[in-house]
Amino acid sequence: GRFQDQLIDTMSGRYNPLQYLFLTYTMLLTGLSLDDPTLRHMLRKNAILNPGHFHYYIYYIGSEGKSNLSPEEKKSISESYFETFNLITLFLNGNDIQQLAQYIVADKTVFNKKNDDSNMPRSYVYYISGTPGTGKTSSLNLLTDFTIRDEFQDPHREELYQSDDKLSENERKELDKWIERQFKIRNMQILETSFESCIQLVDRSSIDPICFVDNEDMARNERAKELLKIYNKGLVKGKVIVLEADMRELFLRLNKRNPNTRSQNFNYPKSYIKEILGEFERLFPKKDYKYISTTGKRLPAVVKEIAHEIFFGEYKETDLLKILDEVSEER
C-alpha cells in the first residue's frame, strides 16, 4: 500500500522526510508487520545509523484473549527485535491497544492520576557511574530517547583533566568547591524533573566525588560530610549502572589527552587508575550493582548494553543519601 511505497521511495532517496522521522523521533508502530522487508530495512538502517535511538512496536496478540505465545517466546521475540531493529516490543490485545491510545491522548492530570494509581514510579532515574575513560559521556550523547543530565552544568574546566598530583592544594580545594556547586544544581534539576513522567539518565552519580578523594589531605568520611551539606534538600534515588574497563585500556584512553610518552609526565599514571578503580568498587560493590564492561567494545555496543539494562533490567533504586550517611560515619 501507500506506506510501503513511501518506504521504497526512501530506499531510492526520493522520500528523505520519512527517513528523517525514523532517525529523529520516537515512534509507536502499530498495524504493521515485520515480515515487510522494506520496513525491516528502514528499522535496521536506523539501528545502525542511530544506535541509541529506539522505537516501540505493538505485537498484536488477538482481540482480547490470552496470547498463544509462551513467556520464553515473548522474551526471544523481544530480544531479537531489540538487538536487530532497536525495537521495544509491546505484546497487546485489542483492549490493551485501546487503553494505550487513551493514555497517549490523555491530558497530564488524568495521566498522572493513572500513573499514581498504578503504584509505579512516575520518573525513572539512572545514574551512569564509573571511572574516567569508561565511555559514560560518549554513550549518553547517543542515547537520544531520554532526558540526559550532564555531569556539569557549566563549561568543563581544564583542571578536571589533570590528576591530583599535578594540582596545587589551593587548586584542588577550589576545584572541589566548583564540582560541589555543579552537583548541587544538577540534583535540584533531577528532583524537579522527577515529578514528570520520564526517564532520566545522569552522567555520574551524585556521590561519585567520594571516589576522587586525595587520602593524604581528606578522608572519605570528610568528603561525605561535605556532600551531605550540599544535598540538604534531599538526594534523588535512582538505579546505579557502573561502566568499567581494564586498567591497561583505561591507561591508553585517558592518556590520549596527554601525548607525552614519558611515563612520569602522564596525566593518569597506572597507580592512579588502579586506585580509582578500587574506590569505585568500594563505593558500588559488584555483587550489588550492575556493571557493564567497555573493554574492547565499540561505542554502539556499549550504548546497546546500557539501553538493554534500562528497558529489560530490574529497576532497583539506590538510596544515595543513606550511603553518604554511612560513609560519613566511617572511622
Side-chain angles (χ1 to χ4, degrees), residues 58-200:
I58 294 180
Y59 191 110
Y60 184 58
I61 58 174
S63 59
E64 50 183 283
K66 294 182 179 180
S67 169
N68 291 325
L69 297 172
S70 68
E72 292 75 19
E73 288 173 321
K74 288 183 178 180
K75 181 179 180 181
S76 177
I77 292 170
S78 294
E79 293 282 357
S80 175
Y81 288 179
F82 176 83
E83 186 60 36
T84 307
F85 302 118
N86 277 24
L87 286 179
I88 310 304
T89 306
L90 308 175
F91 296 93
L92 305 179
N93 60 35
N95 291 334
D96 296 332
I97 295 173
Q98 183 179 17
Q99 288 186 18
L100 177 61
Q102 291 172 350
Y103 292 150
I104 291 174
V105 300
D107 63 41
K108 183 180 293 187
T109 302
V110 173
F111 183 85
N112 287 341
K113 185 179 185 306
K114 290 284 187 182
N115 191 169
D116 295 339
D117 290 344
S118 70
N119 201 31
M120 298 292 288
R122 184 176 291 186
S123 168
Y124 293 81
V125 179
Y126 291 84
Y127 292 102
I128 312 301
S129 182
T131 67
T134 50
K136 299 180 302 302
T137 303
S138 299
S139 298
L140 291 178
N141 286 339
L142 292 182
L143 287 160
T144 56
D145 294 332
F146 311 97
T147 300
I148 305 297
R149 294 293 178 199
D150 193 7
E151 184 175 2
F152 306 117
Q153 312 312 301
D154 296 333
H156 293 199
R157 296 173 53 156
E158 287 297 323
E159 301 96 303
L160 291 167
Y161 305 105
Q162 299 288 336
S163 58
D164 279 351
D165 60 355
K166 292 183 178 292
L167 301 176
S168 69
E169 182 178 348
N170 286 337
E171 286 175 331
R172 282 202 304 271
K173 288 182 178 179
E174 203 279 324
L175 183 61
D176 285 344
K177 293 296 182 185
W178 182 83
I179 291 172
E180 288 172 6
R181 288 195 300 271
Q182 296 294 310
F183 273 55
K184 181 176 183 177
I185 293 170
R186 190 185 71 171
N187 183 63
M188 292 173 63
Q189 293 175 338
I190 297 170
L191 182 60
E192 291 172 0
T193 308
S194 66
F195 293 103
E196 303 292 331
S197 295
C198 67
I199 299 174
Q200 297 186 71

Side-chain angles (χ1 to χ4, degrees), residues 223-323:
R223 173 55 61 83
K225 289 174 183 176
E226 290 187 349
L227 292 175
L228 283 172
K229 292 177 183 177
I230 73 168
Y231 298 135
N232 56 1
K233 293 187 178 179
L235 188 52
V236 181
K237 296 179 181 179
K239 177 170 180 174
V240 176
I241 299 174
V242 185
L243 302 191
E244 64 172 347
D246 65 35
M247 189 169 69
R248 180 179 180 278
E249 187 150 339
L250 284 175
F251 179 78
L252 295 173
R253 291 179 189 177
L254 289 171
N255 286 296
K256 284 181 180 179
R257 299 170 181 171
N258 183 352
N260 196 316
T261 57
R262 292 183 297 171
S263 61
Q264 65 268 29
N265 289 331
F266 282 133
N267 275 347
Y268 298 91
K270 289 183 179 179
S271 58
Y272 171 78
I273 296 172
K274 182 178 180 180
E275 179 182 330
I276 210 75
L277 280 169
E279 288 299 323
F280 271 93
E281 286 194 34
R282 183 179 176 187
L283 187 63
F284 300 119
K286 286 191 174 182
K287 64 182 179 64
D288 300 323
Y289 294 90
K290 173 65 179 181
Y291 272 70
I292 294 176
S293 173
T294 67
T295 302
K297 294 177 182 175
R298 295 175 61 247
L299 185 59
V302 176
V303 168
K304 208 67 168 283
E305 283 196 54
I306 295 173
H308 188 279
E309 185 62 24
I310 292 169
F311 287 117
F312 297 105
E314 179 188 3
Y315 183 68
K316 183 179 179 182
E317 290 184 332
T318 294
D319 189 337
L320 298 174
L321 202 59
K322 182 180 179 181
I323 295 177

